[in-house]
Amino acid sequence: MDRQNLTLMTDLYELTMMQGYFMHKDLNETVIFDAFYRRNPCDGGYAISAGLEQVIQYIKELHFDQEDIDYLASLGMFRADFLEYLKTFRFSGDIYAIPEGTVMFPREPVIKVIAPIMEAQLVETAILNIINHQSLIATKAARVCYAARGDGIMEFGLRRAQGPDAGTYGARAAVIGGCIGTSNVLCGQLFGVPVKGTHAHSWIMSFPDEYTAFKTYADMYPDACILLVDTYDTLKSGVPNAIRVFTEMREAGVPLTFYGIRLDSGDLAYLSKQARKMLDAAGFPDAVISASNDLDEHLIDSLKVQGAAITSWGVGTNLITSKDNPSFGGVYKLAAIRDEKGDFIPKIKLSENSEKVTNPGNKKIYRIYEKENGKIKADLICLAEEEYREEDDLVLFDSLEPWKKTKLKAGTYSLRPLMEQIFQNGQCRYTSPSVMDIRAYCQRELDTLWEETKRLVNPHEVYVDLSQKLYDTKIRLLEEMSAD
């Protein structure tokens, strides 16, 4: 997973289109593609960008090995001169992207590719595969962590993930979204994130009795002694035996630095409250009560409302698969073609569905914050040559209902360009932060959202507006297409 040539991880039509461009177009014709999405996952109010580091790795390794060429030749679909061209193929274009961990919204470019048309076409599938997956899991993790209201969330869905890569990169994304660690040891090794875990029911069952299993585990791991108490009977057996072990540790002078119990079945609200009473009565008020058992943000939120005495949560299947919303829905659309003069000619895709009509041209994004509180007011998509200054008044309008306008007075807002250049002329100009640094950045990003946008049900929508110039360009193209 450190070095991996994924060049053939693509849809066949990318290669057949490449051959068509090779035969019928100028190979140096430069285009712009935007990768973006149309709806927030899980009916939420935002998404979290993730996966850029793996996109960078993919672009760096992009080349056709001889075995790739031989395989393509065996399909009987590709000309010898095209296959010969592929032998020296490398990415030579520019890429701009929203950094990992950034809060993002529908319809704004997550990644912008400016490259010769064959290069820009080939990278479509892999970019979408990587960004869609990790952004989905990072967003799901952020929602789960929000529901936990400050409690720690541990990701441990590897055994239920759709394969090793999904489990490992999904765990990476979950940490970016806010999880404090993962059970996935390979993810810990690759990305320097904390690995955490306790023991299974099989550990308990392999000993003559529950107490002996607890005692043995506590002797081995006194500094991380979380005991699974529901193998036989949680309140009659599990919690009392855990208390017995904790008492013996304290009497032996073993520091109780991190210890407690885990619940993995039953009525978690009731059991946790009863266990809390028992632990407190025995003199262990700082004992952790953690819980697992098919948790997601909605169940955690419900347990919180019920007053569950749980302060640590293990979330597996529903997080690593984003079970209620298993795909992100990102798309990759042509936005402009450079003409012989070097100017980008905007292109637009029409649709009977208005949300599928694309925003044309070479674009960039400004994020607008309310200066008073640092919260996001809106995002503004504009053409690349446009510049905005905080010293000027700013008028925003709804591109679907343009008569709805908001005027921001100079000095009441601040601006931040969202996209950063990642590749220039095929060379990477960007250094990815560590996963834990991205996680910290993501937490700051989430703090810029209003609570109304973060709520799990019926969240407030953050407006993504178009500049007047971009809006006028879009309307002009629509009118020209209608006239035809």
Side-chain angles (χ1 to χ4, degrees):
M1 296 175 76
D2 291 327
R3 290 179 59 85
Q4 199 171 20
N5 178 14
L6 300 177
T7 304
L8 289 191
M9 191 186 78
T10 190
D11 294 304
L12 179 63
Y13 81 169
E14 311 288 14
L15 292 163
T16 56
M17 284 190 287
M18 284 179 69
Q19 179 166 250
Y21 297 146
F22 179 83
M23 294 169 59
H24 300 292
K25 278 188 171 287
D26 176 1
L27 299 188
N28 295 315
E29 181 179 62
T30 298
V31 299
I32 298 176
F33 276 90
D34 293 331
F36 61 96
Y37 70 101
R38 298 188 180 105
R39 295 182 181 179
N40 291 317
C42 307
D43 294 322
Y46 64 92
I48 301 296
S49 63
L52 179 58
E53 182 178 346
Q54 283 64 55
V55 169
I56 292 171
Q57 184 179 25
Y58 159 74
I59 296 294
K60 286 181 175 179
E61 296 289 336
L62 194 62
H63 68 281
F64 291 86
D65 293 327
Q66 186 58 51
E67 53 263 40
D68 299 333
I69 302 296
D70 293 341
Y71 171 71
L72 294 177
S74 75
L75 297 178
M77 300 175 64
F78 300 104
R79 293 165 35 139
D81 55 349
F82 174 65
L83 295 175
E84 188 66 26
Y85 161 79
L86 293 183
K87 291 181 179 179
T88 58
F89 180 91
R90 292 293 188 276
F91 184 81
S92 64
D94 299 343
I95 294 179
Y96 295 79
I98 294 176
E100 291 191 87
T102 302
V103 166
M104 59 183 181
F105 306 106
R107 299 178 298 280
E108 56 192 23
V110 180
I111 290 182
K112 178 173 72 173
V113 177
I114 306 176
I117 191 167
M118 294 174 67
E119 300 174 24
Q121 190 71 70
L122 176 63
V123 300
E124 172 183 5
T125 302
I127 285 177
L128 291 178
N129 174 274
I130 295 166
I131 295 297
N132 279 342
H133 175 241
Q134 290 202 47
S135 296
L136 175 67
I137 304 305
T139 304
K140 185 68 169 178
R143 289 171 57 82
V144 171
C145 293
Y146 175 76
R149 304 173 196 178
D151 295 344
I153 300 290
M154 186 181 79
E155 183 284 317
F156 64 97
L158 178 58
R159 62 191 60 191
R160 301 284 178 81
Q162 285 95 343
D165 280 2
T168 301
Y169 291 117
R172 176 188 187 273
V175 172
I176 287 173
C179 290
I180 62 173
T182 176
S183 66
N184 187 329
V185 180
L186 179 58
C187 180
Q189 179 193 37
L190 290 175
F191 304 116
V193 302
V195 290
K196 298 177 180 293
T198 56
H199 58 78
H201 295 103
S202 58
W203 172 266
I204 309 297
M205 296 163 66
S206 70
F207 286 84
D209 57 75
E210 191 174 52
Y211 164 74
T212 302
F214 285 174
K215 176 64 174 172
T216 304
Y217 191 85
D219 288 343
M220 291 192 300
Y221 307 110
D223 296 330
C225 185
I226 304 296
L227 303 176
L228 181 59
V229 296
D230 71 334
T231 304
Y232 303 121
D233 188 300
T234 299
L235 299 180
K236 292 181 179 179
S237 173
V239 176
N241 278 320
I243 289 174
R244 178 181 174 187
V245 169
F246 299 151
T247 301
E248 291 173 353
M249 292 173 70
R250 184 167 57 191
E251 291 174 348
V254 177
L256 296 173
T257 54
F258 182 70
Y259 73 108
I261 64 170
R262 176 163 72 96
L263 304 169
D264 190 50
S265 61
D267 187 325
L268 296 180
Y270 172 77
L271 292 174
S272 66
K273 287 185 278 189
Q274 295 302 311
R276 182 77 275 159
K277 291 177 182 178
M278 296 168 70
L279 289 163
D280 290 352
F284 301 105
D286 58 344
V288 171
I289 298 180
S290 64
S292 46
N293 189 27
D294 289 333
L295 299 172
D296 64 10
E297 66 267 43
H298 300 290
L299 182 52
I300 291 173
D301 183 63
S302 175
L303 288 166
K304 281 289 190 179
V305 171
Q306 297 173 63
I310 300 166
T311 56
S312 178
W313 309 80
V315 186
T317 305
N318 293 325
L319 171 53
I320 201 64
T321 65
S322 188
K323 188 174 180 180
D324 62 329
N325 191 135
S327 64
F328 192 72
V331 295
Y332 186 85
K333 300 298 180 183
L334 181 69
I337 299 177
R338 181 177 282 157
D339 65 12
E340 296 177 354
K341 298 178 182 178
D343 298 323
F344 278 112
I345 306 304
K347 296 291 180 176
I348 193 168
K349 174 190 174 294
L350 297 186
S351 173
E352 293 294 326
N353 187 338
S354 60
E355 74 173 9
K356 290 190 174 183
V357 177
T358 59
N359 291 317
N362 184 11
K363 301 176 292 294
K364 62 183 179 183
I365 312 163
Y366 281 104
R367 178 148 293 166
I368 305 165
Y369 301 91
E370 292 193 7
K371 186 167 279 188
E372 180 181 42
N373 52 37
K375 300 296 185 183
I376 297 174
K377 180 70 175 178
D379 277 2
L380 178 66
I381 307 176
C382 61
L383 296 174
E385 67 267 19
E386 294 187 80
E387 296 293 337
Y388 288 84
R389 303 187 317 147
E390 297 172 6
E391 295 78 10
D392 300 326
D393 293 345
L394 178 62
V395 176
L396 302 175
F397 64 93
D398 187 329
S399 60
L400 297 179
E401 299 174 306
W403 59 89
K404 294 182 178 179
K405 297 184 178 182
T406 300
K407 184 175 183 178
L408 304 180
K409 288 286 190 180
T412 65
Y413 68 92
S414 59
L415 292 172
R416 171 191 165 205
L418 274 195
M419 304 188 83
E420 297 189 24
Q421 184 159 23
I422 310 301
F423 281 86
Q424 182 180 30
N425 298 325
Q427 299 299 310
C428 185
R429 304 300 186 195
Y430 179 84
T431 300
S432 293
S434 71
V435 170
M436 297 308 289
D437 284 343
I438 298 172
R439 179 186 183 276
Y441 165 72
C442 184
Q443 296 307 298
R444 295 192 298 272
E445 280 285 287
L446 289 166
D447 286 342
T448 67
L449 288 172
W450 297 86
E451 287 299 308
E452 292 82 356
T453 299
K454 290 189 282 188
R455 66 188 175 213
L456 301 177
V457 179
N458 193 27
H460 172 73
E461 178 183 357
V462 174
Y463 295 106
V464 178
D465 296 318
L466 306 184
S467 71
Q468 187 67 57
K469 192 170 182 178
L470 175 56
Y471 176 79
D472 291 344
T473 300
K474 184 173 185 177
I475 295 301
R476 174 177 60 80
L477 291 176
L478 290 173
E479 291 175 346
E480 289 175 358
M481 296 292 286
S482 298
D484 293 341

